[in-house]
């Protein structure tokens, strides 16, 4: 029994990659363009690299260039928007070496959740590499806020990545929602990946005037009206807060490591999650890389 346990433990500690290239096409959320996303295997130690127009953009917090409405990375004049749903699914799969090729400046939004990205990654075949995976283990409580909105991370007592999230919107359909869970691949697939992005019908015209949400439609966004959802049936009663957690996982994946820590938030945003990453990394006493 001890041997089996040890064997499983050792197996769980390896970095993962994909076996073969796979692709998916679809419309992008903000620009409304047709995009093809291709995932290619990358050798161990290379990390996660986005590739567009001949430019490689390593996934690194230093390459985050915007966090308004979505997380955007960029390098040498090329930017990729709205990476968080794809990155969330990649984090949950344990994959740490991957080339992400795009022919547009956003991944396709697909159904607005992380589910199709999970299926795409699975279809590529997940393989273990020779290298042990690295973990960022949080050693101090770190909190960033904007008014009463905050995100924080503190040391884990259970040696895991746990998220406890609350959202509040002054809207009858959403109101206050709370959800918490341990982040692992099984929980992610069952509880988080299916949760879709959402938007308020009353804000669409404004967003479109700003060049955002141009690809949003009734098949890729939960459209929230003043009193009801206008286009779909919810997959979970609290699908909205679950989607926020999906975003958190994608945003924090930019740390580049598996995370051991307790994340807590009220009304999290991409900007606050990015501020948290910078706060964590600003002091080497905040964490240990194992
Ligand atoms: Zn999202």
């Amino acid at each position: 029994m001890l041997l089996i346990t040890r064997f499983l433990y050792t197996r769980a500690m390896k970095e993962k990659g994909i076996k073969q290239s796979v692709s998916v096409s679809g419309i992008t959320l903000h620009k409304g363009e047709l995009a093809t996303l291709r995932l290619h295997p990358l050798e161990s130690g290379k990390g996660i690299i986005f590739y567009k127009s001949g430019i490689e953009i390593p996934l690194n917090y230093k390459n985050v260039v915007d966090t308004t409405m979505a997380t955007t990375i960029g390098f040498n004049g090329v930017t990729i928007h709205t990476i968080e749903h794809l990155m969330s699914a990649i984090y949950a799969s344990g994959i740490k070496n991957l080339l992400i090729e795009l022919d547009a400046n956003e991944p396709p939004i697909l159904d607005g959740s992380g589910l199709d990205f999970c299926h795409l990654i699975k279809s590529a075949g997940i393989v273990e590499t020779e290298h042990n995976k690295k973990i960022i283990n949080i050693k101090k409580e770190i909190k960033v806020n904007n008014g009463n909105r905050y995100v924080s991370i503190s040391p884990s007592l259970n040696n895991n990545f746990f998220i406890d999230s609350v959202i509040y919107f002054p809207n009858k359909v959403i109101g206050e929602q709370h959800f918490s869970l341990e982040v692992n691949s099984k929980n992610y697939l069952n509880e988080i990946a299916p949760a879709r992005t959402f938007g308020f019908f009353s804000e669409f015209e404004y967003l479109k005037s700003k060049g955002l949400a141009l690809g949003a439609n009734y098949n890729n966004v939960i459209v929230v009206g003043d009193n009801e959802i206008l286009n779909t049936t919810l997959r979970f009663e609290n699908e909205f807060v679950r989607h926020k957690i999906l975003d958190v996982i994608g945003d924090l994946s930019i740390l580049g490591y598996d995370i051991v820590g307790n994340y807590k938030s009220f009304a999290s945003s991409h900007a606050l999650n990015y501020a948290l990453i910078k706060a964590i990394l600003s002091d080497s006493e905040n964490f240990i890389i194992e």
Side-chain angles (χ1 to χ4, degrees):
M1 188 61 198
L2 181 65
L3 274 175
I4 292 170
T5 310
R6 276 196 176 158
F7 179 63
L8 289 172
Y9 182 71
T10 308
R11 279 175 61 83
M13 296 299 286
K14 294 292 181 190
E15 258 186 24
K16 289 175 183 162
I18 60 169
K19 200 171 178 179
Q20 60 182 15
S21 298
V22 284
S23 68
V24 67
S25 298
I27 197 165
T28 65
L29 179 63
H30 286 302
K31 301 290 170 203
E33 298 168 333
L34 186 65
T36 297
L37 163 72
R38 293 187 171 84
L39 305 180
H40 305 286
L42 204 55
E43 64 191 82
S44 198
K46 291 264 187 184
I48 290 174
I49 299 175
F50 283 81
Y51 180 80
K52 180 181 178 280
S53 307
I55 300 289
E56 290 188 352
I57 310 172
L59 183 77
N60 184 306
Y61 79 101
K62 291 176 182 166
N63 291 333
V64 172
V65 294
D66 190 31
T67 52
T68 316
M69 300 293 294
T71 295
T72 301
I73 57 169
F75 191 66
N76 267 356
V78 173
T79 53
I80 312 273
H81 303 261
T82 325
I83 63 169
E84 58 270 13
H85 302 167
L86 171 63
M87 284 313 310
S88 181
I90 291 170
Y91 179 90
S93 70
I95 288 166
K96 291 285 180 284
N97 302 285
L98 189 66
L99 185 71
I100 303 170
E101 182 186 358
L102 279 161
D103 61 359
N105 65 355
E106 274 178 78
I109 187 68
L110 305 173
D111 75 348
S113 78
L115 210 48
D116 288 338
F117 293 126
C118 290
H119 294 153
L120 182 70
I121 293 162
K122 196 173 175 212
S123 74
I126 298 175
V127 289
E128 287 187 343
T129 68
E130 299 277 295
H131 292 74
N132 287 339
K133 72 176 178 186
K134 287 186 180 165
I135 292 165
I136 184 163
N137 197 337
I138 301 298
K139 290 296 166 195
K140 283 186 177 176
E141 183 177 3
I142 303 135
K143 185 173 180 179
V144 292
N145 71 295
N146 180 1
N148 67 343
R149 305 173 71 155
Y150 76 87
V151 302
S152 69
I153 196 158
S154 53
S156 167
L157 299 176
N158 303 309
N159 205 34
N160 64 11
F161 180 23
F162 192 86
I163 294 184
D164 184 315
S165 211
V166 176
I167 60 168
Y168 174 74
F169 288 90
N171 169 286
K172 282 182 200 159
V173 181
I174 305 179
E176 182 170 310
Q177 296 194 350
H178 178 203
F179 194 62
S180 60
L181 87 169
E182 177 186 342
V183 180
N184 58 45
S185 53
K186 183 166 166 269
N187 284 351
Y188 183 84
L189 194 61
N190 295 332
E191 308 292 343
I192 299 297
R196 293 161 293 173
T197 193
F198 55 94
F200 295 95
F201 184 74
S202 58
E203 292 178 0
F204 271 134
E205 289 309 317
Y206 172 76
L207 289 173
K208 284 182 178 173
S209 75
K210 295 276 171 195
L212 294 166
L214 297 174
N217 64 46
Y218 275 12
N219 298 316
N220 58 27
V221 175
I222 302 172
V223 182
V224 182
D226 291 340
N227 298 302
E228 62 198 337
I229 291 163
L230 302 178
N231 63 322
T232 186
T233 309
L234 290 180
R235 293 175 178 174
F236 304 98
E237 177 203 343
N238 56 1
E239 187 166 351
F240 303 99
V241 68
R242 289 177 192 243
H243 183 80
K244 279 288 181 182
I245 292 176
L246 185 153
D247 285 339
V248 168
I249 295 166
D251 285 345
L252 295 196
S253 77
I254 293 169
L255 282 164
Y257 303 101
D258 271 15
I259 298 161
V260 172
N262 254 324
Y263 173 98
K264 229 170 141 54
S265 67
F266 175 73
S268 63
S269 65
H270 301 299
L272 281 173
N273 289 332
Y274 182 51
L276 184 67
I277 288 178
K278 286 194 290 187
I280 293 168
L281 298 177
S282 68
D283 185 345
S284 58
E285 294 200 350
N286 288 338
F287 60 88
I288 292 177
I289 306 294
E290 297 172 336

